[in-house]
Amino acid sequence: MENSNSNPNQIKNRSKPHAILVAHPLQGHLIPSVQLAIKLASNNFSITFINAENIHHQITLSNTTNHSHDDIFAEARRNSPSLDIDYMTVSDGLPVGFDRSLNHDQWVGATIHCFPAHVEVAVAKIVRSKPAVCCLIADSYSVWASKLAKKYGLFYVSFWTESAMVLDFYFHLHLLKEFGHIGPGSSGCKDAIIDYIPGISSIKRTDLTSYLQEEDLTTMAHQSIFPSIEDAKRAEFILANTVHELEAQPISAIQTQTPFYAIGPLFPIEFSTSPVATSLWAESDCITWLDSKPPGSVLYVSFGSYAHISKEELEEIANGIKLSGVNFLWVVRPDMVSSDDSDPLPIGFRDEVNGRGMIVTWTNQKAVLSHRATGGFLTHCGWNSTLESIWYEVPFLCFPLLTDQFTNRKLIVDDWKIGCNLCEEKPLKRMEVLQKIKDLMIGGKLGFELKDNIKRIKQLLENATKGSSEKNVHSFFEELNVAIEKKSLAC
Ligand code: UDX
């Protein structure tokens, strides 16, 4: 099934370059993709944004205040009529209501095999109706993008939503394999130090992404990640939600292989609320509650939108938080442990923390992080959360669960020194949780040091929005124009 909404701007803007932007059907990828669409459209691009139907449906169900139910960009266009963004939805091949969280491998299979078929039908239709279409922008975790772009004579622009360091690992898988640090038998060298990847002076094996730490590299996740990275290498351009000054060395290493443009941080700088609804769960309003708490007194706890946590670890965290006595705001998604265990918190916990703890299913994270009452962030270290927390100068307590989060932890704790570990060694125990929370929220020295460091890192991000990232966006436009020009001369 396919649904398309045109906007009147396209009629007067036929000569603008037109990009088709396909969002990867996950919360943490959709959010920066929407911001990328807005950034490009604010720079004289016209965009057709393709969203997965189930994601669109979930946003619509969760968002009762936005009445533009057919098009998540409708309100943004009302506020800014020159924003030239059309919106389409396509199926990923699974029924809209299917539980993708509980049936992860089936979902991954659908994103490899079915979603691209629906995207292709949509792309063919757009290319037929819009002569100025020049490029296909797709998430770097798409296995299908370069082939599709080539078939329709488009440039492939790959969109990387994580740190450059993670892409640098993936670009050098052959070295990791050669040294026996990934794949079968590699967990025997758990404590290995990896010092041969260009752009990364030295890193522990335990700081690689979770997928690279697994022995079995043939799972559904690997069948998706590895080919998609190979495909990203074929892209004419890679745009990334990172900042040159944060990751200069891995970025240089990647640039020896592919044109790579760090254009982050991609979020609306001035506003903690975006005119585009992107949340997959209904946002609880926490501001009144936060207003009632003293400055810096609230620990914000969230593990993002995707990873699961074991019931045992959730219990240790809940008990550590309870014993610490600090105020806290905790996002507990309905599928945090598993979607067939919708209230996994220990029995009685909610009553025991009543008054000093607020527990919600989802909230506006940027509004929480920017609130003066928020003093620390117990996080899974997702890349969006990392950039947002730096932006609002909230120090981290890190508990990575999956994928790039282990590498992000290393950047946060070991390199930038803006956070500390929740747990030095597993298994996680409540007394350590209690101690770490106290060190961060009440301890004094550690909290001050982290806050000082985070101010410095925030400054790098802020400078980049007017400096390197802005410059890189313009370099991308120029290079793309040159490529378009060359191509039209060759025809
Ligand atoms: C996923 C991966 O897990 C992550 O490691 C990768 O870097 C990006 O894709 P996710 O787990 O959702 O993302 O984490 P994160 O990258 O932090 O993104 C979460 C987004 O949801 C953030 O933009 C955050 O502001 C938003 N959020 C989170 C809310 O708006 N409300 C909430 O209650 C929680």
Side-chain angles (χ1 to χ4, degrees):
M1 188 185 145
E2 201 182 284
N3 171 32
S4 152
N5 292 286
S6 291
N7 77 71
N9 293 320
Q10 85 188 54
I11 296 159
K12 47 180 199 266
N13 290 318
R14 284 196 199 288
S15 59
K16 286 201 265 183
H18 190 108
I20 300 170
L21 199 165
V22 186
H24 194 56
L26 282 176
Q27 178 79 86
H29 293 250
L30 172 72
I31 292 172
S33 299
V34 162
Q35 295 309 323
L36 177 63
I38 292 175
K39 187 172 248 330
L40 295 177
S42 312
N43 281 278
N44 205 37
F45 259 78
S46 70
I47 303 283
T48 299
F49 190 96
I50 300 183
N51 203 3
E53 201 175 50
N54 65 300
I55 296 280
H56 175 81
H57 182 72
Q58 213 178 319
I59 293 170
T60 307
L61 281 183
S62 310
N63 188 349
T64 46
T65 50
N66 188 328
H67 299 295
S68 316
H69 276 180
D70 294 339
D71 180 347
I72 61 171
F73 289 95
E75 196 181 327
R77 275 200 312 272
R78 263 196 297 278
N79 297 345
S80 185
S82 61
L83 218 52
D84 191 1
I85 304 179
D86 289 350
Y87 183 68
M88 292 179 84
T89 58
V90 301
S91 167
D92 67 359
L94 297 170
V96 162
F98 185 69
D99 188 339
R100 289 158 178 80
S101 169
L102 200 58
N103 300 283
H104 185 259
D105 282 1
Q106 248 173 301
W107 170 76
V108 175
T111 63
I112 297 175
H113 301 293
C114 305
F115 186 55
H118 290 275
V119 170
E120 173 159 0
V121 172
V123 167
K125 190 169 153 193
I126 300 163
V127 168
R128 269 199 307 273
S129 65
K130 298 185 184 196
V133 180
C134 62
C135 57
L136 175 68
I137 306 178
D139 196 285
S140 309
Y141 283 124
S142 311
V143 296
W144 43 266
S146 76
K147 199 168 150 206
L148 188 60
K150 199 166 171 197
K151 179 166 176 184
Y152 289 92
L154 307 174
F155 294 108
Y156 171 30
V157 180
S158 179
F159 179 41
W160 181 248
T161 62
E162 298 177 1
S163 71
M165 184 173 275
V166 168
L167 189 62
D168 199 10
F169 295 148
Y170 285 136
F171 265 33
H172 295 95
L173 281 180
H174 58 288
L175 292 180
L176 289 162
K177 281 186 186 153
E178 227 171 275
F179 280 82
H181 285 147
I182 60 168
S186 62
S187 56
C189 50
K190 259 214 297 279
D191 300 324
I193 301 288
I194 294 164
D195 58 3
Y196 47 80
I197 296 184
I200 301 170
S201 54
S202 150
I203 189 160
K204 292 186 197 135
R205 186 181 177 279
T206 45
D207 295 328
L208 295 175
T209 71
S210 63
Y211 300 118
L212 294 177
Q213 295 184 48
E214 289 171 18
E215 287 253 330
D216 179 5
L217 301 183
T218 64
T219 69
M220 279 306 284
H222 295 91
Q223 287 174 45
S224 169
I225 294 169
F226 291 166
S228 66
I229 299 295
E230 282 312 304
D231 207 49
K233 287 183 181 171
R234 292 180 204 114
E236 274 84 11
F237 307 91
I238 299 182
L239 300 178
N241 188 18
T242 185
V243 166
H244 179 86
E245 287 76 4
L246 277 188
E247 301 197 272
Q249 289 173 359
I251 289 175
S252 300
I254 295 165
Q255 283 171 333
T256 62
Q257 298 192 40
T258 317
F260 178 98
Y261 301 79
I263 60 165
L266 276 169
F267 43 76
I269 305 300
E270 297 87 3
F271 311 104
S272 52
T273 50
S274 158
V276 185
T278 50
S279 280
L280 302 189
W281 295 273
E283 291 176 4
S284 295
D285 181 3
C286 304
I287 300 305
T288 315
W289 184 84
L290 285 168
D291 284 345
S292 72
K293 301 294 175 217
S297 71
V298 174
L299 178 70
Y300 171 55
V301 187
S302 168
F303 300 106
S305 65
Y306 183 59
H308 303 284
I309 192 168
S310 72
K311 190 128 179 164
E312 294 71 36
E313 287 179 335
L314 188 85
E315 252 184 67
E316 293 308 305
I317 292 174
N319 281 300
I321 290 176
K322 188 175 78 185
L323 293 168
S324 75
V326 303
N327 297 323
F328 69 92
L329 166 56
W330 191 351
V331 176
V332 183
R333 286 188 342 254
D335 67 337
M336 194 61 253
V337 168
S338 164
S339 50
D340 52 15
D341 182 1
S342 61
D343 190 6
L345 288 169
I347 295 165
F349 177 77
R350 289 171 193 269
D351 292 334
E352 286 162 343
V353 296
N354 195 16
R356 72 177 178 85
M358 183 169 187
I359 299 159
V360 296
T361 303
W362 197 252
T363 185
N364 178 338
Q365 177 162 300
K366 291 188 208 73
V368 171
L369 289 171
S370 63
H371 197 283
R372 58 168 182 76
T374 306
F377 185 7
L378 169 47
T379 170
H380 68 315
C381 310
W383 187 243
N384 296 294
S385 294
T386 303
L387 294 176
E388 291 162 9
S389 204
I390 293 174
W391 189 261
Y392 295 113
E393 301 179 17
V394 179
F396 300 78
L397 200 45
C398 299
F399 192 61
L401 297 170
L402 191 75
T403 180
D404 60 331
Q405 298 152 19
F406 293 86
T407 313
N408 302 341
R409 183 219 64 82
K410 174 222 165 11
L411 292 169
I412 293 166
V413 177
D414 303 345
D415 295 2
W416 304 330
K417 303 193 181 348
I418 55 177
C420 48
N421 298 320
L422 181 67
C423 156
E424 299 304 332
E425 204 172 324
K426 293 210 172 176
L428 178 68
K429 291 283 173 219
R430 63 193 66 182
M431 293 316 283
E432 186 175 14
V433 175
L434 152 73
Q435 194 53 52
K436 292 295 176 65
I437 292 176
K438 281 191 161 168
D439 290 349
L440 181 78
M441 301 295 292
I442 314 167
K445 191 166 172 277
L446 176 69
F448 283 126
E449 271 175 29
L450 298 177
K451 277 189 186 133
D452 263 5
N453 293 339
I454 210 165
K455 274 192 185 10
R456 198 170 36 79
I457 301 290
K458 193 272 171 85
Q459 197 59 57
L460 296 180
L461 253 62
E462 196 167 356
N463 294 347
T465 60
K466 298 168 214 125
S468 62
S469 290
E470 192 59 11
K471 196 175 123 266
N472 289 337
V473 171
H474 289 284
S475 306
F476 163 65
F477 293 148
E478 276 166 28
E479 295 301 322
L480 180 65
N481 275 326
V482 170
I484 294 171
E485 196 68 22
K486 261 196 201 153
K487 197 166 147 191
S488 71
L489 288 175
C491 290

